[in-house]
Amino acid sequence: MSSATTLKLLNFLLFQAGWLACVLLTNSWALLIATGVLAFHLTVVSARPAAEARFILLGIVLGSLVDGLWFRSGVMQDGTGSAWTPLWLMAIWALFMTTLAHSLAWMHQRIWLPFVLAPVAGPFAYLAASKLDAVTLPEGTLSLAALAVGWLVIFPLLMAIQKRYFPETLT
C-alpha cells in the first residue's frame, strides 16, 4: 500500500472514529475527542495544514448554517432542544471537511458524482445518528427529503469551493 493510500485510509478511519464519538457522546468529551482527531489529522495526514485548516473553518460555518436551518425549521432536533447547530455536530463538520481533501478527494474526478451520492449519503449519516439517539428526525421521510436537498446543495458547493479556492489541499 502506498503512502498516499495509507494516509487516505487513516483519514477515513479517523473520520469514522470521530463521527462515532461525537454521535455517541454529544457533549464536551465529543468535542475533546474531535479536537484531538483534527489535530492529529492536521499534523500527520495533511500535506498543507494551514490551507486545510482554513477550508475546514469555512466548511464548519457553511455546514452549521445548513444544519441550523434544519434545527430552526424542525426538520431535525437534538436531545437538548437546541434551536441551532450543537457544538458536537459542528465538530462532525470539521471532521467531515478533512475527508474532502483525502479519502473523498476521488469524487472531484467526476463532476456529477457529488450530485448523485450526496443526497443519499448525507441523510443516511443523520439517519444513523438518529438511530443512536443523537438527533431526531421528527418529520420522518420529509426530514430525510429536506436533508437530501440540503446535501444536494452543500456537498457540491463545498467541493467547488475547494477546487477553486483551496486546490492545494487536494491530495
Side-chain angles (χ1 to χ4, degrees):
M1 192 175 338
S2 75
S3 168
T5 302
T6 302
L7 290 176
K8 287 179 185 195
L9 178 60
L10 181 58
N11 169 255
F12 173 77
L13 294 173
L14 287 170
F15 170 73
Q16 296 302 321
W19 181 91
L20 189 59
C22 287
V23 167
L24 290 177
L25 299 174
T26 67
N27 60 23
S28 55
W29 283 107
L31 298 178
L32 183 63
I33 291 168
T35 301
V37 169
L38 193 58
F40 183 83
H41 169 84
L42 289 172
T43 57
V44 174
V45 178
S46 181
R48 305 266 193 253
E52 194 169 346
R54 288 190 302 275
F55 179 60
I56 290 167
L57 286 173
L58 178 64
I60 293 169
V61 171
L62 295 177
S64 296
L65 288 173
V66 171
D67 280 346
L69 173 66
W70 302 140
F71 279 99
R72 298 285 296 171
S73 66
V75 166
M76 184 167 51
Q77 299 171 347
D78 73 341
T80 66
S82 175
W84 200 248
T85 308
L87 292 176
W88 65 266
L89 192 48
M90 289 181 187
I92 289 177
W93 274 104
L95 297 170
F96 173 71
M97 295 303 294
T98 70
T99 67
L100 295 183
H102 301 279
S103 58
L104 291 181
W106 58 272
M107 291 190 68
H108 283 279
Q109 296 170 357
R110 300 215 178 4
I111 189 105
W112 55 270
L113 203 51
F115 293 98
V116 174
L117 295 181
V120 175
F124 180 77
Y126 292 86
L127 180 61
S130 76
K131 298 297 182 191
L132 295 170
D133 296 325
V135 295
T136 58
L137 305 172
E139 300 301 321
T141 303
L142 185 59
S143 289
L144 289 171
L147 290 166
V149 170
W151 274 87
L152 179 64
V153 173
I154 193 69
F155 190 60
L157 175 64
L158 289 169
M159 292 186 74
I161 289 170
Q162 183 180 29
K163 196 170 195 173
R164 171 89 165 108
Y165 297 105
F166 300 94
E168 69 275 19
T169 64
L170 293 169
T171 57

